[in-house]
Amino acid sequence: MSLPVLEVEEEIRKAIRPECGRLLLKAPTGSGKSTTVPGMVADEVRGRVIVVQPRRMAARLLADYVARQRGTSLGDGVGYAVRFDSRYRQDTQIIYLTDGLLQRWLLDDPELKGISAVIFDEFHERRLASDLSLGRVLDLQEGERPDLKLVVMSATLEVGDLQGYLSPCEVVEAGGRLYPVEISHRSTDPNRRSSANRREELWDRVAKAVRQESGGLGEGDRILVFLPGVYEIRKCEALLQNSDWEVKSLYSALSPAVQQEAIRRDSSKRIILSTNVAETSVTIEGVKLVIDSGLARQSQYDAARGFDSLRVVKISQAAAEQRAGRAGRTGPGRCVRLWSVNDHRARLEFELPEIRRVDLAEAALFLKRLGINDVSDFRWLDAPDTHRRMEAENLLKRLGAVNPDGSLTEDGWEMAGWPMHPRLARLLLAGVEFDCVAEVAFVAATVQGEGVFKRGGKGDKWSDFINDQREEGLDFAGEWHALQAARRAKFHPRDCQALGVLARGAREVSQSFDQIIRLLEKRMMGVKAVHFARHAEGVAQALLVAFGDRLAVRRDAGSAVCHVVGNRRGKLDPKSSVRNAPLFLAAEITEVEGRERNVILSRCAQIREEWLTGIEEKNGVTFDEIQRRVISVKQRVYQGLVLEEKRGGDVDPDLAAGLLAERIVNGELTLKHWDHKVERWIARLQFLSTAMPELELPGFSEDDRETVIGELCEGALTFKEVKARDPWPALNQWLSQPQAEALKAYAPEKITLMNGVNSRVHYKQGEAPWIEEKVQRLYEVKTTPVIANDHRLVVKILAPNQRPWQVTSDLENFWKNGFTQMKKDLAGRYPKHDWR
């Protein structure tokens, strides 16, 4: 059967010919856009075509598939370029590459010389790197490279805004899914128990769904299961191993050979456990059933760590449609969603663009390297949040990457050339300064990955690897020893597990470390062998340059609680090598959710105070909770973090009064005589100053409250001296005699109703004054009582049980319409009361 995209082939070719140059192609999953459009474009241009993919795995697999389709070997006519791996030659015509690599290419060659066309595939995923690269390519088209062709392809994106952004452009839409897919939903009970009488986990539900839905499937059929991450994949794998199906995993960290093994076409019955890498682009033939967990690990900015972190989130409706479409590529299929229909309706329609949820510091540095000093001037498809943009700019200033006018410094220019977060790029430069460049290269590789070994729980052997006493005070030394052990074991999973090391994490760190070392050597930065024991202090000083806002102090040696720059608090990892250091830096700050939320400080380095610049000496006061008195303190402060505090000595009376007043205003201390009577007086005054502005009353704001309480605290050092002080002398002086008389007359505490009943007027800040009376005490009161020159009171009409039956500012209407109903409802229940 012909691919849907072939039906619009002539429109696609026409759109990329010289008279046009920009194409927006909307084509859903299964249409063939990722595999056939690059070839169409290559036939129409002279020069190289690059196809931008969000994921490494998709770039490799697509390149291999298209190379076979075009009758060329991989790396010759068709190739790929991803992190740690590339296969292409100088004359390779079509190259699949990741959006992150395209960013690096744009820095190395801002005009993309030799490239005739750029195709952005799966743009609906709205990766930040794709947004940045697309904006730059548009600038090139309108400037130095009017010959450059541009194609943007999307499966689910609403193209309205994108069409306007790309304008002028041609818009082509291909047909839908090849075959129908039957979709069903399964709601889940979070309290459901498994057969082992434990809470039913995601992998339990997935395994159950696979067993229940796999009937009728046979040789050559595939079941594709979408899970949020590798951990969940392994749990499912363990539960399904004993079935008569072959079980394979599919995720980006696997080697290309293992990925190919998972998607190969043969006659076996296979279950493929995959992350969201299989949502789009990758061709998996024979999928008849999709089991969708509805979850994915998504990159989100973690302000505490200062890096993006992966969090499990619910996928959007559009992503769910993409996943379901995998079952309809080669024939009719089914999709089972492990969430309810109502849950589905409540989900976001489309994925939130990365620019709304990830760190912007690296993006800002990239744009400044391109000459865009003011990041807000970039041609954003979606402009970043102002607060987040300023946060990124401030970090770059703190790292010394930008000048006050926003332009790059010499260090900033160098940092922008490194394929990593600006913090880590700055760390490498500091490593050169402190003669520990190899060691900080390892640190940079480590903090970007999931870690060399498991921390916490069974198998945690972190502290076992810190085997040199001279290296105490630097947690990264232990991770280095762990990596060497993993290398000696050749990253064999079972051998690494025995060592307490994560083989996958160690391999990733090793690859990243080797790549950084090659970059350092290319820049001739004098790389020596790693020796943490010899260079521990240099590493700590370099970390201080890059992570100075993570400085922490433990003022109580008997407690794990530490204070961190930025008025933050956390607990030091109990296995850290800095557990005896009063001052240290935490390169990683992690929130751990359990019965209570804990903030854990880890990957630490001991810091010496003499390395800090800008320490301030401050004299002040604090409140001693035990003695309940104000005492004098002398503090040594670094960026708001109190390094040392000494208590005692003479107390400044003005500071003492101010601190006592502040705590009283905040509600931490309570004055005995500042009671409801005082609050009612304040509420009366506030009401009248608003109701009758012509009286020119002073009012009583929150600042006024602080002033009066401050007067009460004058001369006091202890709360005991203040607690029983009477506020009325100060309040009575607040109003002149005529003003006090006006308050009494126009905002009275009591009024006499038309029937002679005396009724208390209630006042409360932010509410209209009111009276409340049983209905029997309101007989003969025909009109609503007023105060403050005809300001109607609210009347709360009480039933015999003293509860409001009706609240009104229109008694006339109540007697006309409401009383009859009240009598009908209540007279039978309260017959002893007078119901006229």
Side-chain angles (χ1 to χ4, degrees):
M1 184 176 181
S2 176
L3 291 170
V5 78
L6 295 177
E7 298 174 9
V8 292
E9 179 175 2
E10 186 51 39
E11 295 176 62
I12 292 172
R13 290 179 178 274
K14 181 180 178 181
I16 54 178
R17 287 169 185 159
E19 59 271 20
C20 298
R22 287 183 192 173
L23 167 64
L24 173 56
L25 174 63
K26 182 176 181 182
T29 298
S31 60
K33 63 182 182 303
S34 301
T35 55
T36 59
V37 171
M40 298 177 192
V41 175
D43 293 341
E44 297 293 331
V45 300
R46 292 182 178 178
R48 176 172 285 170
V49 175
I50 58 175
V51 188
V52 185
Q53 288 290 328
R55 298 184 178 89
R56 288 181 285 174
M57 190 181 82
R60 284 193 298 246
L61 295 177
L62 283 169
D64 181 65
Y65 180 85
V66 173
R68 285 187 278 110
Q69 291 295 104
R70 292 177 69 85
T72 180
S73 59
L74 182 63
D76 291 340
V78 181
Y80 65 83
V82 301
R83 190 185 183 196
F84 303 135
D85 187 20
S86 63
R87 289 187 66 177
Y88 68 92
R89 303 187 319 195
Q90 195 65 32
D91 59 348
T92 301
Q93 189 179 19
I94 300 174
I95 299 178
Y96 286 81
L97 79 165
T98 56
D99 46 14
L101 266 190
L102 177 56
Q103 267 192 264
R104 311 317 304 177
W105 285 18
L106 284 165
L107 289 180
D108 296 338
D109 179 11
E111 294 185 15
L112 295 180
K113 298 181 181 69
I115 294 173
S116 297
V118 182
I119 302 174
F120 287 88
D121 195 12
E122 310 300 351
F123 191 76
H124 59 272
E125 295 197 17
R126 293 303 311 280
R127 300 246 302 182
L128 179 55
S130 291
D131 281 11
L132 293 168
S133 299
L134 176 58
R136 178 55 183 161
V137 170
L138 288 172
D139 285 341
L140 279 178
Q141 270 195 326
E142 295 171 6
E144 305 95 314
R145 291 292 311 279
D147 60 308
L148 187 64
K149 306 301 180 185
L150 172 64
V151 179
V152 178
M153 303 194 297
S154 173
T156 61
L157 189 69
E158 286 291 339
V159 299
D161 291 343
L162 186 56
Q163 182 178 353
Y165 180 71
L166 297 174
S167 182
C169 72
E170 296 293 322
V171 180
V172 176
E173 186 166 349
R177 187 184 292 138
L178 292 176
Y179 294 96
V181 174
E182 176 190 340
I183 296 175
S184 61
H185 289 259
R186 289 189 178 187
S187 58
T188 57
D189 178 2
N191 298 315
R192 182 183 295 170
R193 315 295 289 184
S194 70
S195 58
N197 197 32
R198 57 176 172 78
R199 189 168 68 90
E200 191 174 54
E201 302 286 0
L202 172 63
W203 40 91
D204 296 316
R205 301 199 302 272
V206 168
K208 184 186 296 183
V210 168
R211 295 188 187 104
Q212 291 176 346
E213 299 291 337
S214 58
L217 299 180
E219 291 186 0
D221 290 337
R222 303 287 185 265
I223 299 174
L224 178 59
V225 180
F226 283 101
L227 293 158
V230 176
Y231 177 76
E232 294 81 7
I233 285 175
R234 289 179 174 170
K235 287 289 188 179
C236 283
E237 197 171 29
L239 292 175
L240 296 170
Q241 281 292 4
N242 295 327
S243 67
D244 59 348
W245 288 74
E246 183 183 55
V247 181
K248 295 290 184 181
S249 299
L250 188 63
Y251 49 90
S252 59
L254 293 171
S255 67
V258 174
Q259 292 168 354
Q260 288 283 8
E261 180 72 12
I263 68 172
R264 78 180 190 278
R265 183 63 169 149
D266 56 28
S267 60
S268 65
K269 294 165 58 179
R270 186 177 305 147
I271 300 170
I272 302 173
L273 306 174
S274 177
T275 60
N276 58 1
V277 296
E279 272 182 23
T280 56
S281 299
V282 180
T283 300
I284 305 176
E285 297 183 12
V287 176
K288 295 293 181 66
L289 172 64
V290 168
I291 306 291
D292 189 359
S293 68
L295 303 171
R297 274 190 167 81
Q298 191 178 82
S299 182
Q300 294 184 358
Y301 179 58
D302 185 333
R305 293 180 65 215
F307 290 101
D308 294 330
S309 63
L310 292 175
R311 298 180 181 177
V312 176
V313 299
K314 293 180 178 181
I315 63 172
S316 67
Q317 295 179 23
E321 184 69 13
Q322 286 281 92
R323 292 181 175 188
R326 310 307 282 179
R329 285 212 166 182
T330 56
R334 292 180 293 128
C335 173
V336 178
R337 292 173 175 167
L338 301 183
W339 66 95
S340 68
V341 173
N342 287 338
D343 184 351
H344 187 75
R345 290 171 180 161
R347 296 187 177 208
L348 292 175
E349 188 175 359
F350 297 99
E351 296 299 320
L352 197 65
E354 271 195 348
I355 193 165
R356 301 290 188 206
R357 51 184 171 83
V358 301
D359 179 25
L360 301 179
E362 193 170 354
L365 194 61
F366 168 76
L367 293 175
K368 291 176 185 294
R369 176 71 180 263
L370 292 177
I372 304 171
N373 289 346
D374 188 343
V375 174
S376 60
D377 288 342
F378 182 64
R379 57 190 304 163
W380 295 103
L381 175 54
D382 288 296
D385 173 76
T386 301
H387 174 74
R388 296 278 303 286
R389 177 174 56 80
M390 293 304 299
E391 194 176 58
E393 295 266 10
N394 290 335
L395 174 60
L396 294 180
K397 289 177 183 176
R398 191 162 62 243
L399 295 174
V402 297
N403 294 304
D405 65 354
S407 61
L408 285 183
T409 62
E410 185 176 338
D411 281 347
W413 183 268
E414 178 70 22
M415 290 161 62
W418 291 89
M420 59 186 66
H421 191 278
R423 280 188 190 273
L424 303 182
R426 185 66 184 90
L427 179 66
L428 293 179
L429 296 184
V432 175
E433 179 184 349
F434 294 106
D435 193 28
C436 56
V437 66
E439 289 80 7
V440 298
F442 173 73
V443 171
T446 303
V447 299
Q448 292 181 92
E450 63 178 305
V452 175
F453 39 71
K454 179 182 178 182
R455 298 190 183 206
K458 188 176 180 181
D460 182 352
K461 299 187 178 182
W462 174 24
S463 56
D464 295 351
F465 285 98
I466 304 179
N467 57 11
D468 188 330
Q469 293 301 312
R470 291 172 298 172
E471 295 173 338
E472 281 201 7
L474 192 63
D475 290 346
F476 291 99
E479 296 198 71
W480 172 254
H481 295 314
L483 177 62
Q484 301 318 301
R487 281 175 165 173
R488 289 191 294 272
K490 298 181 179 179
F491 303 107
H492 190 280
R494 186 170 298 173
D495 293 342
C496 286
Q497 185 177 4
L499 294 167
V501 176
L502 291 174
R504 180 189 67 259
R507 185 190 297 275
E508 182 180 301
V509 169
S510 181
Q511 288 178 322
S512 181
F513 174 65
D514 290 342
Q515 181 191 47
I516 295 171
I517 291 297
R518 288 194 296 271
L519 291 172
L520 287 165
E521 290 172 340
K522 187 177 179 180
R523 287 170 165 79
M524 294 180 291
M525 288 186 170
V527 182
K528 302 175 184 176
V530 172
H531 198 310
F532 274 101
R534 185 177 300 157
H535 299 120
E537 283 201 358
V539 175
Q541 288 176 280
L543 282 164
L544 183 61
V545 173
F547 294 90
D549 54 339
R550 310 285 182 79
L551 191 69
V553 64
R554 184 169 56 176
R555 291 195 289 270
D556 182 359
S559 171
V561 176
C562 305
H563 299 264
V564 187
V565 168
N567 199 30
R568 293 172 289 177
R569 299 179 72 182
K571 291 184 178 180
L572 177 64
D573 191 313
K575 295 187 178 182
S576 173
S577 64
V578 305
R579 53 190 173 273
N580 297 319
L583 187 63
F584 64 92
L585 176 148
E588 185 168 285
I589 302 177
T590 309
E591 279 195 354
V592 179
E593 292 189 14
R595 291 184 178 178
E596 59 182 28
R597 179 170 293 180
N598 289 318
V599 177
I600 305 299
L601 311 178
S602 57
R603 285 180 167 161
C604 302
Q606 183 172 347
I607 300 298
R608 298 188 184 280
E609 193 175 302
E610 55 263 31
W611 299 342
L612 305 180
T613 57
I615 295 177
E616 300 177 86
E617 304 279 348
K618 290 186 176 182
N619 294 325
V621 292
T622 189
F623 187 76
D624 188 303
E625 298 288 352
I626 297 175
Q627 300 182 53
R628 294 174 74 78
R629 67 179 295 127
V630 178
I631 58 176
S632 177
V633 294
K634 293 182 178 180
Q635 296 176 330
R636 301 174 60 253
V637 181
Y638 174 77
Q639 294 187 11
L641 177 67
V642 178
L643 303 177
E644 184 183 29
E645 183 177 272
K646 293 182 180 179
R647 301 188 174 198
D650 295 334
V651 179
D652 185 320
D654 291 336
L655 293 178
L659 181 57
L660 286 170
E662 179 184 327
R663 294 180 71 86
I664 292 169
V665 170
N666 291 340
E668 296 170 90
L669 301 173
T670 304
L671 294 174
K672 181 178 180 181
H673 297 297
W674 193 286
D675 52 18
H676 65 280
K677 183 179 178 181
V678 172
E679 292 297 337
R680 187 167 62 247
W681 181 87
I682 293 172
R684 288 170 62 205
L685 181 55
Q686 289 178 327
F687 157 72
L688 191 59
S689 62
T690 301
M692 298 182 68
E694 64 271 19
L695 295 177
E696 298 184 353
L697 295 177
F700 202 89
S701 65
E702 286 303 309
D703 288 341
D704 296 330
R705 180 189 297 268
E706 292 179 21
T707 298
V708 172
I709 292 175
E711 292 178 13
L712 290 176
C713 295
E714 287 181 0
L717 297 180
T718 68
F719 178 57
K720 184 178 180 180
E721 297 174 75
V722 176
K723 184 177 181 179
R725 289 184 178 177
D726 187 358
W728 282 108
L731 294 176
N732 289 333
Q733 294 178 14
W734 198 256
L735 301 177
S736 66
Q737 186 63 31
Q739 289 173 333
E741 292 296 332
L743 180 65
K744 183 177 180 180
Y746 294 115
E749 295 189 71
K750 289 185 177 181
I751 60 169
T752 302
L753 304 179
M754 294 173 63
N755 60 2
V757 170
N758 288 324
S759 184
R760 177 180 293 278
V761 181
H762 299 267
Y763 299 86
K764 189 175 181 180
Q765 295 178 59
E767 297 184 19
W770 75 92
I771 63 171
E772 49 187 42
E773 296 287 354
K774 290 195 294 186
V775 68
Q776 286 78 11
R777 285 173 57 85
L778 292 173
Y779 290 154
E780 308 304 332
V781 182
K782 302 300 183 184
T783 59
T784 306
V786 297
I787 59 174
N789 280 359
D790 297 328
H791 182 93
R792 286 189 168 213
L793 289 170
V794 173
V795 182
K796 296 183 179 181
I797 303 168
L798 307 181
N801 62 1
Q802 299 294 331
R803 293 178 180 176
W805 191 86
Q806 185 167 332
V807 179
T808 182
S809 292
D810 187 355
L811 269 181
E812 297 92 331
N813 186 61
F814 167 75
W815 294 121
K816 184 178 179 181
N817 299 307
F819 178 68
T820 302
Q821 186 63 45
M822 183 179 187
K823 182 177 179 181
K824 180 179 177 181
D825 292 344
L826 300 180
R829 293 166 54 190
Y830 303 98
K832 293 183 179 180
H833 291 263
D834 180 14
W835 298 99
R836 296 184 182 179

